[in-house]
Structure formats: structure tokens, C-alpha cells
Amino acid sequence: MIKIVRTNSENLDFVSLVQSLNDYLKIMDGDEHAFYNQYNNIDVLKHVVVAYDNEIPLACGAIKAFNASSTEVKRMFTKPEFRGKGVASMVLQELEKWSKELMFKSCVLETGKRQKEAVSFYKKMNFKVIPNYGQYENIENSLCFKKELI
């Protein structure tokens, strides 16, 4: 049975999952990896979720304040062998719930256009494409999303 745990960026399972994510993104992003990586420092993340199955970490995600009304979803990752089983949906739903508990009205996020599985996943989870924001504004590979929390 999948267990979702709320924690912070000091959680060693989260740190390990993020390292796997970074290894994956280094291949996907190629020469652009250094640009993206500078915005993914995990020590600023205080609201982290890790999904477990029998104490085995499967997936993770985090939120941080983006502005007064939105959180930004960061460091979403599911180990490849556990994809397609609904684990990422559980992680994202927990992050949305936590955002609402913290009185935020929406979630935003950025992903790469090359990560076609991620793009499809966020659309399936009712995130809508928005104009690229902040540091992603003129980045061709970036795709930004937003979801209003009800």
C-alpha cells in the first residue's frame, strides 16, 4: 500500500530521489541542464512529499511559495519502474491539498517540452498551459502550467 509522507528537504529519501531526477534531467536537458539546475536548489524547500511502498521511496515532489496566492511545484519525480501506477498523481494531489491548507489559491510549475510524459501528466491533472514566467520567460524548451485550487 502506498503511503504519502509530508516532510522537508532534509529527508534522505527525498535527497536520493532528487539525485535520480537530476541524473535523468542531465540527459534530457543536455547543454541547458546548468541553466535549469540553478533554480532547483532543494535546501529552500520546506514542504516536501515522499511516496513509499513498504518503506521503499517511489516518488517525490515539493512546493514553495511563488507569490502571495500561488505555490510552485518543484522536484516532481517518480522512479521509472513505478510510473503509470498513479503514484505521481497521489504526490501531486497531496501537494495541492497542502497548498490549500497553507491558504494558497493556485499552483504553478515549469517543465521541459522534451519531457513529454510530464507534459501529458500535468494536462491530465488539469493544469493549464500559461505564458512562461520569471526565469523561464524566454526559454524555448520551458513550458509553464497553472492550476486553480478549488
Side-chain angles (χ1 to χ4, degrees):
M1 184 167 119
I2 305 298
K3 180 172 77 172
I4 302 293
V5 174
R6 290 183 181 187
T7 184
N8 61 41
S9 62
E10 295 174 7
N11 178 292
L12 295 180
D13 293 326
F14 176 68
V15 172
S16 177
L17 287 164
V18 167
Q19 184 56 55
S20 296
L21 170 62
N22 287 338
D23 293 344
Y24 168 77
L25 291 176
K26 196 171 202 175
I27 295 165
M28 292 296 289
D29 294 336
D31 294 340
E32 297 169 338
H33 182 69
F35 168 80
Y36 289 110
N37 208 37
Q38 69 182 320
Y39 299 110
N40 290 319
N41 195 350
I42 64 170
D43 65 348
V44 300
L45 300 175
K46 307 299 179 220
H47 301 91
V48 169
V49 170
V50 178
Y52 292 92
D53 186 11
N54 293 322
E55 307 301 318
I56 298 169
L58 312 177
C60 65
I63 51 171
K64 69 176 190 172
F66 178 71
N67 59 31
S69 63
S70 298
T71 57
E72 184 176 23
V73 176
K74 304 292 289 179
R75 314 317 284 153
M76 283 287 299
F77 180 72
T78 303
K79 288 181 178 177
E81 61 270 29
F82 298 105
R83 293 180 186 164
K85 300 179 187 318
V87 180
S89 297
M90 293 171 68
V91 168
L92 188 56
Q93 288 167 346
E94 187 68 20
L95 293 171
E96 291 172 9
K97 180 180 173 188
W98 206 352
S99 294
K100 288 185 348 186
E101 289 171 12
L102 294 168
M103 307 307 288
F104 289 95
K105 306 224 179 301
S106 62
C107 294
V108 299
L109 62 88
E110 179 275 342
T111 194
K113 290 179 181 176
R114 294 183 201 107
Q115 282 112 359
K116 297 191 183 311
E117 290 173 326
V119 171
S120 294
F121 170 69
Y122 293 123
K123 287 180 177 178
K124 180 184 93 170
M125 297 299 292
N126 297 314
F127 277 76
K128 306 296 182 216
V129 175
I130 60 170
N132 286 4
Y133 56 80
Q135 66 268 25
Y136 308 113
E137 209 167 335
N138 295 310
I139 305 301
E140 181 64 30
N141 181 50
S142 287
L143 190 58
C144 293
F145 289 88
K146 183 176 185 177
K147 181 177 182 178
E148 298 296 331
L149 302 173
I150 300 169

